Amino acid sequence: AVTMGLLTPVYVVKVQLQIPPAERVQAFRGPLQCAAFNLRAYGVRGLYAGLLPSLIANPICFGVRFITYAKCQEATLSL
């Protein structure tokens, strides 16, 4: 959860750099300009858009990955 809290703003800026917001005619010049625009337009809350769904989905994904790994490991060891 701490990692996601730290990295969510990075992901938001990355996505906005890839797909500029509709209200902007030009693409951003870089990540700092993108982050500054996001802070001015949406506030700090805008940098954490999508955090809640990620907090819900990531444990499920990691659980499925761990269980799949454990089952494959068991199957490999039984050969």
Side-chain angles (χ1 to χ4, degrees):
V2 173
T3 303
M4 291 179 61
L6 294 173
L7 291 179
T8 296
V10 175
Y11 291 135
V12 168
V13 169
K14 178 189 74 129
V15 168
Q16 287 185 350
L17 284 171
Q18 292 172 342
I19 306 169
E23 62 263 17
R24 301 260 314 166
V25 177
Q26 280 183 311
F28 296 109
R29 290 189 304 261
L32 293 178
Q33 183 196 20
C34 180
F37 171 79
N38 198 9
L39 280 172
R40 279 193 306 275
Y42 308 110
V44 175
R45 189 174 177 171
L47 288 175
Y48 287 93
L51 178 62
L52 184 61
S54 294
L55 285 173
I56 294 169
N58 275 353
I60 296 168
C61 292
F62 285 125
V64 168
R65 185 180 301 162
F66 179 75
I67 291 170
T68 303
Y69 174 77
K71 294 296 180 184
C72 288
Q73 191 176 25
E74 287 175 13
T76 304
L77 291 175
S78 68
L79 292 177

